[in-house]
Amino acid sequence: MITEFIQATSPLEALVAIQKHGEGTVFLAGGTEIHRLGSSVSCSKVVSLKGLALDAITEKNGIVTIGSMVTFQQALDSALVPSYLKESLRYCASRTRRNMATIGGNITLSRDDSYLLPTLIAAKARLILGDISNDGSYAEENIPIREYHSFREHFTGSLILGIVLNKPQRFVASKRFSRTAQSPGAVTVSFGADISSGAAHDVRICAAVKGSGLMRLLQVEEGVSSGQYQSPEDAATQAGTDIAFVDDITGGAAYKRYILGTAVSELYRSCLGAMNKGSAV
Ligand SMILES: Cc1cc2nc3c(=O)[nH]c(=O)nc-3n(C[C@H](O)[C@H](O)[C@H](O)COP(=O)(O)OP(=O)(O)OC[C@H]3O[C@@H](n4cnc5c(N)ncnc54)[C@H](O)[C@@H]3O)c2cc1C
């Protein structure tokens, strides 16, 4: 139960409040997870991020910066947000929840059915984080989102200030499979590549698999980058060979393995199509 609501007016104030109030104190963004019945976040005190002015979307020289407090709906309504990200924002089918849920909250949760993380990792997004250094001073850093994902523990307590999309020419596409639009996703997978040279380079393929976690498909990334596959279907056979799939309410292990493979080959095929057309998506 939440017994204390703390209002901060700057990132430093929010970080200091978290430190001061200690265990059981968390940042409050849209609150859709914090207030959810059976929430994964257990807390007794919250530090509201509402007064931090982190809800702007800006663009400069093709680089789009999205404040962490931007809601899914606000991002969907913005002409600055790339269409590949809008596709994954729509995976949250409830408009009521889209009006509350923030992008920063979604990234922090890193769920195994994450709406946005596979896409943001495939897009090679960067995060701007606020922290208090060892000497007590406030510091900001700009890190690749894959680093945030790989070293999640290291960033516990960091405040996400914004998300930077600085690769406007990159091909990025995603797919999500769930029983209904409102059900949890069995598999959400995204494929990103730099196709500016006429071949797929700098490939990132990231999957959220319910019950198994969120992971990059490193072998397939390498296979695509090195031109190892004769056809996209060959990539499918390698997708998920190292994932321990589980049976659950979203589907059986064999089903998840199968849809992950077919999704990867379809996304790879779309990437080849975009390359032939000479355009990124
Ligand atoms: C019915 C239901 C179904 C859902 N299904 C899905 C789903 O399929 N996939 C999915 O990904 N999510 C799902 N969610 C969870 C949630 O709606 C989204 O992940 C949402 O984007 C979380 O954002 P929020 O602003 O509401 O986060 P909050 O609930 O406010 O916070 C969530 C966590 O993130 C931390 N946090 C928030 N902002 C920041 C920040 N800027 N910096 C650091 N830490 C921060 C909070 O301290 C807290 O620990 C579901 C929720 C509900 C109620």
Side-chain angles (χ1 to χ4, degrees), residues 27 29-34 97 102 106 108 111 113 115 160 176:
F27 298 123
T32 59
E33 180 60 32
I34 287 176
R97 192 146 34 89
T102 67
N106 192 263
T108 310
R111 287 171 50 141
D113 57 0
Y115 296 128
I160 302 177
R176 179 176 173 97

Side-chain angles (χ1 to χ4, degrees), residues 254-274:
Y255 163 73
K256 290 180 195 169
R257 164 99 174 79
Y258 171 75
I259 54 171
L260 176 66
T262 53
V264 166
S265 69
E266 276 181 43
L267 292 168
Y268 185 13
R269 193 174 288 288
S270 306
C271 177
L272 294 173

Side-chain angles (χ1 to χ4, degrees), residues 120-175:
L120 291 171
I121 289 175
K124 293 194 75 183
R126 299 184 69 88
L127 296 182
I128 307 168
L129 301 180
D131 263 308
I132 297 181
S133 322
N134 293 338
D135 65 3
S137 61
Y138 174 70
E140 288 184 9
E141 59 177 338
N142 181 319
I143 62 155
I145 196 164
R146 69 167 158 74
E147 191 179 319
Y148 178 84
H149 167 60
S150 303
F151 304 100
R152 197 61 198 78
E153 295 297 305
H154 175 76
F155 297 105
T156 306
S158 297
L159 173 64
I160 302 177
L161 302 169
I163 298 95
V164 182
L165 303 172
N166 64 350
K167 307 253 178 299
Q169 298 307 320
R170 201 169 160 79
F171 168 88
V172 184
S174 310
K175 283 191 180 294

Side-chain angles (χ1 to χ4, degrees), residues 8 13-14 39 43 83 90-91 105 131 133 159 172 184 189 193 218-219 227 246 264 274 278-279:
E13 230 178 88
S39 171
C43 59
S83 56
R90 282 191 203 96
Y91 294 152
D131 263 308
S133 322
L159 173 64
V172 184
V189 57
L218 296 170
Q219 271 186 314
V246 297
V264 166
S279 67

Side-chain angles (χ1 to χ4, degrees), residues 67-90:
S68 62
M69 284 293 284
V70 166
T71 66
F72 279 39
Q73 192 58 43
Q74 196 186 336
L76 274 168
D77 292 341
S78 166
L80 299 177
V81 172
S83 56
Y84 67 75
L85 184 55
K86 290 189 176 180
E87 189 180 353
S88 47
L89 289 159
R90 282 191 203 96

